[in-house]
């Protein structure tokens, strides 16, 4: 029993008073229970401003990577297969998805901010230095010449990636939108039904289309990679200024890293180590769900009958 309780037990029945702790001078009385404010009166959180970013002031000093390669592709578009084929090249290192754009730098004091600004380094500049260092470290471990990165969400920040590495090269990987949506649903059917998967995958497809319209690069189709991989890889190698190596077709013997969900494809098909045929494409425009028709038309997939045998659009 505390001292206050003992005093109250001894005196309370006689005096009728209760002993309490004195509040410090100047302190306010205990506040009454707060009433919930109507939603209309609640203070809205200020909207975050777009992050400022720019090209490196001195690329030779500020960047260790030279001519990095980025596969800009939607989810479930065959980018893991393509990165494994490219990784089998003697000069290309294509690791699992690195998600580097999620790495952020934060100054914990205002003095740190002032110090970096005195060096003409903004937050985004520091993040770009970090991104470059992480990718360069991975490339150096491989002993190869160029790194290839294929995280699908890169499509949402293509402008910043192009600013971070002005000498970057881009490969745009397309696949029939219906195949993408179906594969995205099958990847986690408990998380999203077929309609939700189509709409979610469409976000990535639209981002890829914006990047494709605004960046120079090389276009390749998943259907071509699976039906005529030699031609597809020769085209990519020519774009990158490299000689085609037949060993690229045997990606199973040079697979890099494990197949982990969230870092790329992890299904049995990709683990087989061999290129397998793609899905059967819709036979008519009516078989394409309405939300996917616009992007299907933009990518030349609206009428599968127009596709050549090797997946190319004439």
């Amino acid at each position: 029993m505390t001292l206050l309780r003992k005093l109250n037990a001894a005196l309370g029945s006689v005096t009728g008073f209760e002993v309490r702790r004195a509040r410090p001078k100047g302190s306010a009385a205990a506040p009454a229970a707060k009433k919930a404010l109507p939603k209309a009166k609640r203070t809205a959180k200020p909207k975050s401003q777009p992050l400022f970013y720019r090209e490196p002031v001195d690329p030779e000093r500020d960047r260790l990577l030279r001519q990095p390669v980025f596969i800009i592709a939607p989810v479930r578009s065959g980018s893991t297969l393509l990165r494994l084929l490219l990784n089998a090249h003697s000069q290309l290192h294509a690791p699992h998805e690195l998600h580097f754009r999620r790495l952020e730098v934060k100054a914990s004091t205002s003095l740190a901010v002032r110090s970096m600004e005195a060096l003409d380094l903004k937050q985004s500049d520091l993040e770009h230095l970090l991104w470059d260092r992480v990718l360069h470290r991975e490339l150096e471990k491989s002993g190869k010449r160029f790194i290839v990165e294929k995280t699908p969400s890169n499509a949402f920040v293509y402008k910043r990636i192009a600013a971070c590495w002005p000498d970057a090269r881009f490969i745009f990987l397309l696949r029939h939108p219906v195949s993408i949506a179906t594969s995205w649903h099958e990847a986690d059917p408990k998380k999203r039904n077929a309609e939700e998967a189509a709409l979610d995958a469409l976000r990535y497809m639209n981002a890829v289309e914006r990047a494709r319209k605004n960046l120079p690069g090389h276009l390749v189709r998943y259907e071509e990679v699976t039906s005529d991989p030699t031609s597809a890889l020769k085209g990519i190698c020519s774009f990158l200024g490299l000689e085609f190596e037949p060993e690229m077709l045997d990606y199973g013997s040079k697979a890099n890293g494990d197949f982990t969900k969230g870092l790329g494809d992890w299904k049995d098909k990709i683990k087989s180590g061999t290129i397998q045929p793609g899905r059967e494409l819709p036979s008519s425009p009516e078989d394409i769900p309405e939300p996917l028709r616009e992007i299907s038309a933009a990518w030349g997939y609206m009428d599968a009958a127009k596709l050549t045998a090797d997946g190319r659009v004439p």
Side-chain angles (χ1 to χ4, degrees):
M1 182 179 290
T2 65
L3 178 59
L4 286 180
R5 287 184 178 180
K6 289 180 179 179
L7 288 173
N8 285 327
L11 301 176
S13 61
V14 177
T15 64
F17 292 98
E18 182 178 336
V19 180
R20 296 183 180 182
R21 283 192 179 90
R23 291 183 176 276
K25 290 184 179 181
S27 63
K34 293 183 179 180
K35 295 182 179 180
L37 291 175
K39 289 184 177 180
K41 294 184 178 180
R42 291 179 183 174
T43 304
K45 292 183 179 180
K47 293 183 178 180
S48 58
Q49 297 296 320
L51 181 66
F52 165 84
Y53 60 85
R54 59 184 174 178
E55 293 187 1
V57 177
D58 188 346
E60 289 298 318
R61 294 182 178 180
D62 290 350
R63 296 294 178 269
L64 298 175
L65 279 181
R66 295 291 178 262
Q67 296 183 300
V69 180
F70 294 93
I71 299 174
I72 304 297
V75 291
R76 309 305 298 175
S77 59
S79 59
T80 297
L81 172 61
L82 182 57
R83 76 101 175 161
L84 290 169
L85 294 170
L86 295 180
N87 186 67
H89 194 284
S90 62
Q91 299 299 309
L92 298 174
H93 176 53
H96 62 70
E97 295 171 9
L98 299 179
H99 295 271
F100 65 88
R101 80 178 186 93
R102 300 300 187 182
L103 301 177
E104 299 177 348
V105 173
K106 180 181 179 182
S108 59
T109 66
S110 59
L111 285 178
V113 174
R114 288 169 55 189
S115 177
M116 292 299 100
E117 287 182 345
L119 299 178
D120 193 24
L121 289 172
K122 304 292 186 182
Q123 175 188 341
S124 59
D125 297 324
L126 294 169
E127 290 176 350
H128 290 176
L129 289 172
L130 173 62
W131 295 358
D132 184 72
R133 180 64 181 91
V134 170
L135 268 63
H136 181 263
R137 177 180 181 272
E138 177 62 24
L139 178 62
E140 286 293 295
K141 285 165 53 181
S142 73
K144 295 187 178 183
R145 187 179 175 189
F146 302 109
I147 195 166
V148 180
E149 219 288 313
K150 52 83 70 184
T151 306
S153 63
N154 286 345
F156 294 105
V157 292
Y158 71 88
K159 290 182 180 178
R160 188 172 178 187
I161 291 176
C164 181
W165 293 282
D167 62 346
R169 294 171 292 176
F170 298 93
I171 297 171
F172 302 103
L173 175 62
L174 306 185
R175 186 183 186 184
H176 198 298
V178 173
S179 298
I180 291 175
T182 303
S183 181
W184 192 223
H185 166 59
E186 293 176 352
D188 199 341
K190 293 182 179 180
K191 184 176 181 179
R192 45 189 170 258
N193 59 36
E195 183 179 357
E196 292 169 339
L199 294 176
D200 188 47
L202 183 59
R203 295 188 303 113
Y204 289 86
M205 292 184 245
N206 286 334
V208 170
E209 179 63 6
R210 289 192 294 270
R212 190 169 75 98
K213 286 182 176 179
N214 290 282
L215 292 176
H218 178 76
L219 175 66
V220 63
R221 296 177 183 273
Y222 171 80
E223 293 81 10
E224 180 186 1
V225 173
T226 55
S227 61
D228 188 5
T230 299
S231 295
L233 293 175
K234 282 184 176 180
I236 293 174
C237 287
S238 177
F239 169 69
L240 298 178
L242 300 172
E243 293 291 331
F244 168 72
E245 297 177 357
E247 294 79 10
M248 298 173 71
L249 300 173
D250 184 22
Y251 80 82
S253 64
K254 297 183 180 181
N256 179 42
D258 58 357
F259 300 98
T260 304
K261 185 176 181 180
L263 302 182
D265 194 358
W266 69 99
K267 298 291 187 177
D268 292 337
K269 188 175 180 179
I270 194 68
K271 292 179 181 179
S272 68
T274 59
I275 302 172
Q276 299 185 24
R279 298 172 181 271
E280 184 176 350
L281 303 182
S283 58
S284 68
E286 288 71 26
D287 296 327
I288 300 175
E290 193 279 329
L292 300 179
R293 290 181 181 177
E294 183 176 351
I295 194 67
S296 295
W299 288 1
Y301 286 112
M302 199 58 184
D303 190 349
K306 292 182 179 179
L307 295 178
T308 61
D310 60 6
R312 295 193 180 108
V313 176

